């Protein structure tokens, strides 16, 4: 079975949005860093998938 990387990226992005929302609500810098990490990883996965299509 092949992992659905696009779905994984979407879930990471969703979690990043939630972490960003919590960071705004609480002022907690850890949530802010988590949000950045999650959305960055989601972007990296999507970029890799896009590069794979161009090959």
């Amino acid at each position: 079975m092949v992992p659905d990387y696009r779905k994984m990226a979407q879930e990471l992005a969703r979690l990043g949005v939630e972490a960003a929302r919590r960071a705004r609500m609480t002022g907690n810098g850890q949530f802010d860093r988590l949000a950045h990490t999650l959305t960055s990883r989601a972007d990296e996965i999507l970029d890799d998938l896009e590069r794979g299509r161009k090959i």
Side-chain angles (χ1 to χ4, degrees):
M1 184 160 103
V2 175
D4 186 346
Y5 291 107
R6 189 166 305 282
K7 187 174 180 179
M8 286 182 207
Q10 290 170 341
E11 182 65 10
L12 288 173
R14 186 190 68 75
L15 291 170
V17 168
E18 177 62 21
R21 185 183 68 78
R22 288 181 187 238
R24 283 191 304 275
M25 286 176 45
T26 65
N28 187 326
Q30 289 181 325
F31 279 124
D32 189 49
R33 285 189 297 280
L34 178 61
H36 178 71
T37 298
L38 291 168
T39 54
S40 293
R41 295 305 178 261
D43 288 342
E44 289 170 6
I45 291 170
L46 293 173
D47 288 346
D48 286 348
L49 289 172
E50 188 61 32
R51 273 193 296 275
R53 285 187 190 185
K54 293 178 182 177
I55 296 175

